[in-house]
Amino acid sequence: MITPSLLLSGNTDTMQRRRPAHQVIDGIPRCVGINPDSLRKSLEFRAEAGDVVQCTFPKSGSNWVQYITQLILKGGEPILNHDEMSNNCRALEYMNFQDWKSPLPLRTFVTHLPLSRDRMTKEAKYVYVARNPWDVCVSFFHMATNLSGYNFQDGTFEEFVDAFLAGELGHGDYFEHVSSGYALRNEPNVFFVTYEQLKKDTRGVVLKLAHFLGETYWKALEEDEDLLQKLLERSKPDYMRSIVVMDFSKNANPDWKEMISRSQTTCKEGTKATKTSTPWYGKRRLVAGRNTSRQNYFDKWR
């Protein structure tokens, strides 16, 4: 369990703690695996009509939603292997997308950059996937300790949580990232969904996503129950395991409750919302500066 003193701003122990490795590109901390030139091109990218751009903070369900999107565009036909799935989309920060032509009816792109109105176009469609901070933090910790590029194999969970709350993982601040997507959720060309919604009601989310991608995709599933059931079956963990490099097993990672105690976790800044009923992904950070509040970030979702 983590203790409050380890997470308070100004704690001398915290200042000396290790962080997962990152690089600085044009003055901004970025993920170690990003090529600077590719990143700069991705920031200049503007989607066109027929493009679908999926935005997520890492470990928020990126692969699952992209896999389902491709199944919808393929009319429920199976994705045979990971190479096919990779060839069907482009990761903006990591792959060459210049003059790329997709084998699918729509071009699909994935990115861990936050959704920004400045980089959006009216002609394209945008999918934002959010996941609760507890599971994102725990899942990201296990990835950071398993991948050598982060140089964090011996890092502790306490150290990682401190870096997570400080936004020092190379992908910006988690809460600002999710808030940027939530703020644009009512735009006609934005589909905002949470990992939890998809897990709880896969059928409902699949139909809504299909309708967002195009009425023909929605009608195909709505009018053919057998086709819809095939797509849902192919979206289950056991079917996807050999195609998508991710672990859906229930106990793959320790439950966040085993690693984080909500009554003990303290953060560096508080959050506020316009309504008390606003869910965790709608909370906005206080801008008054650090230590203005020691409310619990993680207690702000439900």
Side-chain angles (χ1 to χ4, degrees), residues 237-257:
D238 288 342
Y239 192 96
M240 296 174 59
R241 202 178 306 278
S242 62
I243 300 169
V244 180
V245 183
M246 58 194 304
D247 197 337
F248 286 92
S249 59
K250 184 176 181 181
N251 297 314
N253 292 330
D255 188 89
W256 59 260
K257 293 179 182 178

Side-chain angles (χ1 to χ4, degrees), residues 231-288:
L231 190 150
L232 293 175
E233 186 66 28
R234 287 167 179 157
S235 301
K236 290 182 178 179
D238 288 342
Y239 192 96
M240 296 174 59
R241 202 178 306 278
S242 62
I243 300 169
V244 180
V245 183
M246 58 194 304
D247 197 337
F248 286 92
S249 59
K250 184 176 181 181
N251 297 314
N253 292 330
D255 188 89
W256 59 260
K257 293 179 182 178
E258 298 176 18
M259 304 187 72
I260 307 173
S261 170
R262 280 197 264 183
S263 62
Q264 293 181 336
T265 307
T266 309
C267 68
K268 296 180 179 178
E269 295 180 63
T271 60
K272 66 178 180 179
T274 55
K275 296 181 180 179
T276 57
S277 60
T278 305
W280 56 264
Y281 44 81
K283 305 295 181 179
R284 302 306 299 269
R285 300 187 71 170
L286 291 176
V287 295

Side-chain angles (χ1 to χ4, degrees), residues 2 21 26 88 106 132 136 169 236 240 251 264 292:
I2 54 180
D26 299 332
N88 286 339
L106 302 178
N132 76 77
V136 169
L169 299 177
K236 290 182 178 179
M240 296 174 59
N251 297 314
Q264 293 181 336
T292 55

Side-chain angles (χ1 to χ4, degrees), residues 286-298:
L286 291 176
V287 295
R290 296 194 179 278
N291 283 326
T292 55
S293 171
R294 289 179 177 176
Q295 298 177 43
N296 188 340
Y297 260 146
F298 291 137

Side-chain angles (χ1 to χ4, degrees), residues 52 66 69-70 73 88-90 100 106-110:
V52 181
Q66 178 57 209
T69 298
Q70 292 187 21
L73 296 177
N88 286 339
C89 71
R90 284 293 179 270
W100 174 62
L106 302 178
R107 295 200 307 173
T108 60
F109 299 88
V110 294

Side-chain angles (χ1 to χ4, degrees), residues 64 67-72 75-78 197-210 221-222 224-241 248:
W64 194 11
Y67 178 87
I68 291 174
T69 298
Q70 292 187 21
L71 284 180
I72 293 173
E77 291 299 313
Q197 290 170 336
L198 178 58
K199 188 175 181 180
K200 181 179 180 180
D201 181 20
T202 306
R203 177 192 177 99
V205 171
V206 165
L207 287 173
K208 290 178 181 178
L209 177 58
L221 297 176
E222 183 72 17
D224 189 337
E225 182 64 25
D226 289 340
L227 176 61
L228 176 58
Q229 289 303 320
K230 285 182 180 179
L231 190 150
L232 293 175
E233 186 66 28
R234 287 167 179 157
S235 301
K236 290 182 178 179
D238 288 342
Y239 192 96
M240 296 174 59
R241 202 178 306 278
F248 286 92

